[in-house]
Amino acid sequence: MRGIPVVESLLTVEGLCVDVSIQGRAYPALRDVSFSVQRGEAHGLVGESGSGKSLALRSLMGLLPQNARVSGGSAFFNGTDLFANNGRNIRKIRGTGISMVFQEPAVALNPIARVGTQISDGIAQRKGLSRKEARNCAIHMMSLVGIPNPELRVDAYPFQLSGGMRQRVMIAASVACEPELILCDEPTTALDVTVQAQVLALFAGLKTELNAGILYVTHDLAVVSELCSTISVLYAGRLVESGTAAEVLGNPQEDYTRALLSATPRIDEPGQRLQPIPGTTLALRDRPAGYSFAMRMADHGPGIQSISKEL
Ligand SMILES: Nc1ncnc2c1ncn2[C@@H]1O[C@H](COP(=O)(O)OP(=O)(O)O)[C@@H](O)[C@H]1O
Ligand SMILES: [Mg+2]
């Protein structure tokens, strides 16, 4: 039902549906997905590749691909209906209220602009900062995200930095305006584990320092368990289960969540046998109506039964 939620979260998504059109036919990529994000808290949106995580984030930013559209549901940010007013509400909030850290920094950063300028552009325009002030602001943000020697690197171009540093630049650019909500699309997937741990610590810090809400999309339950206090699990565009991280990871109710957990390495159980999930999520066009995890498993032999028994 559309309407302002009674207990106001920072972000409340209810019944989100997104259709993707392929060769003139609409396919359901997200169906009836609901979750919320509180201030000062990270919510993890978890699922394998193809589950619809990126489309969910992009719908909130008004940045869906041309052939995708929100076909149902609502999203309220601080009481503002993001999908109303023909996308104008989102455009007003984008960058200041909500910002997004993309999966691939190489795509999100402008290759021919200095990184310092990319970090401070938004805030400089809004606050009417001088060039010097903007540069100092960029240096400050770069040190906040753990970039060594920011006074030197502020004038670098993206190609002059390593992948890890570029990812940090992108994070600095997206938090420079002190957004209330940060949407993260697998921002650590391309990083090695050491840098990944540093970036996670950085998000944990921002959550507390800025009292920001974080919506953190990943296929990696280990990442989520470190950062997020609540979790929603997506499978093929539908919500499988959600709850506190302790509930979902400690006592999963659904076969799919159990399978994801069995496929995730655990720090406290070195040497345990990982159980990969058989098969992959079917492409949108090939999914039968009501495509479920059980249907996938039926096509891939007794995999899930043996997973369940082992737990
Ligand atoms: N623009 C598009 N055109 C066609 N199919 C798309 C498009 N965007 C996403 N899809 C399909 O929608 C499903 C969900 O995509 P996505 O949100 O990117 O998943 P995830 O981020 O969880 O890996 C996938 O099957 C993907 O191939
Ligand atoms: Mg994705």
Side-chain angles (χ1 to χ4, degrees):
M1 197 181 74
R2 239 174 142 86
I4 296 176
V6 183
V7 179
E8 197 187 282
S9 303
L10 182 61
L11 176 75
T12 307
V13 175
E14 268 180 20
L16 176 63
C17 298
V18 171
D19 285 353
V20 172
S21 158
I22 303 170
Q23 291 175 339
R25 226 190 110 182
Y27 294 88
L30 286 172
R31 275 296 171 271
D32 199 19
V33 172
S34 304
F35 56 85
S36 59
V37 183
Q38 316 299 327
R39 288 175 187 78
E41 188 190 276
H43 181 78
L45 197 56
V46 192
E48 288 167 292
S49 181
S51 54
K53 306 179 298 293
S54 293
L55 287 175
L57 285 199
R58 285 175 169 276
S59 69
L60 300 174
M61 285 297 268
L63 294 175
L64 281 174
Q66 270 195 337
N67 61 336
R69 68 178 189 101
V70 174
S71 55
S74 65
F76 282 87
F77 170 73
N78 263 339
T80 301
D81 185 344
L82 292 178
F83 300 152
N85 217 358
N86 220 354
R88 270 186 299 246
N89 288 0
I90 300 185
R91 283 196 290 278
K92 261 191 238 153
I93 290 166
R94 200 157 57 205
T96 51
I98 308 180
S99 71
M100 182 155 167
V101 181
F102 290 90
Q103 194 160 7
E104 185 39 74
V107 179
L109 291 174
N110 180 348
I112 56 164
R114 297 183 194 277
V115 295
T117 317
Q118 301 195 51
I119 292 170
S120 61
D121 241 8
I123 186 107
Q125 277 182 21
R126 193 154 319 107
K127 292 197 174 167
L129 302 182
S130 67
R131 273 181 69 154
K132 183 146 189 277
E133 286 168 333
R135 195 167 184 279
N136 286 340
C137 168
I139 292 172
H140 171 70
M141 290 311 301
M142 288 170 83
S143 63
L144 191 72
V145 299
I147 297 178
N149 300 322
E151 312 76 16
L152 299 178
R153 290 201 162 104
V154 68
D155 296 319
Y157 290 96
F159 76 88
Q160 294 174 306
L161 302 178
S162 68
M165 287 301 145
R166 280 200 295 264
Q167 187 61 276
R168 282 158 190 254
V169 167
M170 194 168 55
I171 294 167
S174 46
V175 299
C177 291
E178 304 197 345
E180 292 171 79
L181 177 66
I182 307 167
L183 309 181
C184 302
D185 193 354
E186 314 222 28
T188 62
T189 304
L191 306 177
D192 67 55
V193 278
T194 323
V195 184
Q196 177 172 318
Q198 290 165 354
V199 171
L200 282 181
L202 171 70
F203 279 118
L206 290 170
K207 188 170 66 140
T208 323
E209 280 161 40
L210 302 178
N211 195 29
I214 297 181
L215 179 56
Y216 199 98
V217 153
T218 180
H219 64 278
D220 188 340
L221 281 176
V223 164
V224 150
S225 66
E226 252 181 65
L227 184 70
C228 302
S229 46
T230 53
I231 297 179
S232 296
V233 182
L234 271 186
Y235 181 71
R238 288 174 192 272
L239 207 57
V240 174
E241 83 178 281
S242 56
T244 65
E247 280 165 5
V248 174
L249 301 177
N251 185 19
Q253 299 298 302
E254 298 295 327
D255 283 344
Y256 180 61
T257 316
R258 276 187 215 120
L260 268 184
L261 276 167
S262 308
T264 305
R266 289 182 54 162
I267 261 172
D268 54 346
E269 279 181 28
Q272 95 268 37
R273 226 181 45 167
L274 294 182
Q275 176 91 48
I277 307 179
T280 52
T281 310
L282 283 178
L284 276 185
R285 279 204 278 195
D286 305 324
R287 288 178 200 169
Y291 178 56
S292 66
F293 185 55
M295 289 161 99
R296 166 167 151 194
M297 286 307 107
D299 287 343
H300 285 91
I304 188 59
Q305 278 82 3
S306 64
I307 289 170
S308 300
K309 264 185 227 137
E310 277 179 24
L311 283 164

